[in-house]
Amino acid sequence: MNESLAATLGELQAQIYWLHDAEEFTELASAAATIYMKLDYTQQQAETAGKLISEAYQLADDAANAQKADDFDKEIQFYHQIKNKLIQVETILGYQTSIAIHQMKWWMYFRHRQKLQILLHLFLQHFKAVGLINFLTALKLTYFLMEIGRVHKSRDIETTKDNAIKYWTELLKIKPPQYPYLG
């Protein structure tokens, strides 16, 4: 396992959260693309995935605004668009198992502060990607991503990076055929 790669991926992942907060979506797309290039996807695959991930983040903001306006139908429309963007990412990356719906759902439940639902869909996103043989890894990845979200909310960039590096360190140990991370 390459510790340097895990550190680079963790730093890029943490950077994505801050770029999202700053609404720097072009840079967010670039950071996401860099993650996939580092994971040995082609430049075209990586750039297209990065662009779609950036668009999904923008739609998540639109969904949050619809939620604040109490427009449930509009909010759900945005989440369906997010799911479709993330499914496109899966397709471009050649993933066999659909994890996009679980990422979309934990994003939605995160905004609605439904912790058990967040945990369930975070776990399913990882479990579906890494499989039963890596059940414990799926649990650890779920924990690290929960910690990333929790610490990010408190605006602690260093601890966010540390948790993201732990996430990638754990994930790269098993060399999965597909990655549960979609941005």
Side-chain angles (χ1 to χ4, degrees), residues 32-33 36-37 40-52 88-95:
Y36 289 107
M37 284 190 285
D40 292 328
Y41 289 93
T42 68
Q43 183 170 349
Q44 182 172 353
Q45 284 174 307
E47 287 176 356
T48 303
K51 180 179 174 283
L52 289 165
Q88 289 177 38
V89 172
E90 288 180 318
T91 302
I92 288 160
L93 299 177
Y95 288 3

Side-chain angles (χ1 to χ4, degrees), residues 1 5-6 9 39 168-175 179:
M1 198 273 311
L5 178 59
L9 296 174
L39 293 172
W168 284 103
T169 299
E170 195 65 35
L171 183 56
L172 293 173
K173 281 181 193 175
I174 64 168
K175 299 177 180 144
Y179 296 91

Side-chain angles (χ1 to χ4, degrees), residues 52-160:
L52 289 165
I53 288 166
S54 178
E55 291 170 1
Y57 271 99
Q58 291 172 63
L59 289 165
D61 289 346
D62 293 338
N65 290 333
Q67 178 190 4
K68 288 175 188 169
D70 290 325
D71 190 342
F72 179 75
D73 291 336
K74 189 83 163 164
E75 178 189 4
I76 293 303
Q77 287 175 0
F78 286 124
Y79 281 114
H80 283 294
Q81 291 175 42
I82 291 166
K83 178 188 71 175
N84 292 337
K85 296 282 181 190
L86 296 175
I87 287 171
Q88 289 177 38
V89 172
E90 288 180 318
T91 302
I92 288 160
L93 299 177
Y95 288 3
Q96 299 299 311
T97 303
S98 179
I99 56 177
I101 191 162
H102 297 293
Q103 179 153 340
M104 177 276 296
K105 284 186 176 185
W106 81 253
W107 280 11
M108 180 178 69
Y109 291 124
F110 183 82
R111 300 276 183 157
H112 286 263
R113 295 185 173 110
Q114 295 181 1
K115 290 181 183 178
L116 287 177
Q117 290 293 332
I118 298 166
L119 187 61
L120 172 66
H121 289 287
L122 270 175
F123 173 74
L124 289 172
Q125 176 180 345
H126 291 93
F127 180 73
K128 281 188 168 185
V130 302
L132 182 59
I133 195 164
N134 294 303
F135 180 82
L136 289 176
T137 298
L139 287 173
K140 290 177 187 177
L141 295 171
T142 300
Y143 171 77
F144 290 134
L145 211 49
M146 283 288 291
E147 283 299 293
I148 289 166
R150 183 186 65 77
V151 173
H152 172 70
K153 278 179 57 179
S154 67
R155 303 298 181 238
D156 179 349
I157 192 163
E158 288 308 313
T159 307
T160 300

Side-chain angles (χ1 to χ4, degrees), residues 5-16 31 35 161 164-165 168:
L5 178 59
T8 299
L9 296 174
E11 288 180 21
L12 287 165
Q13 181 180 357
Q15 184 182 34
I16 285 172
I35 286 174
K161 276 187 206 176
I165 291 167
W168 284 103

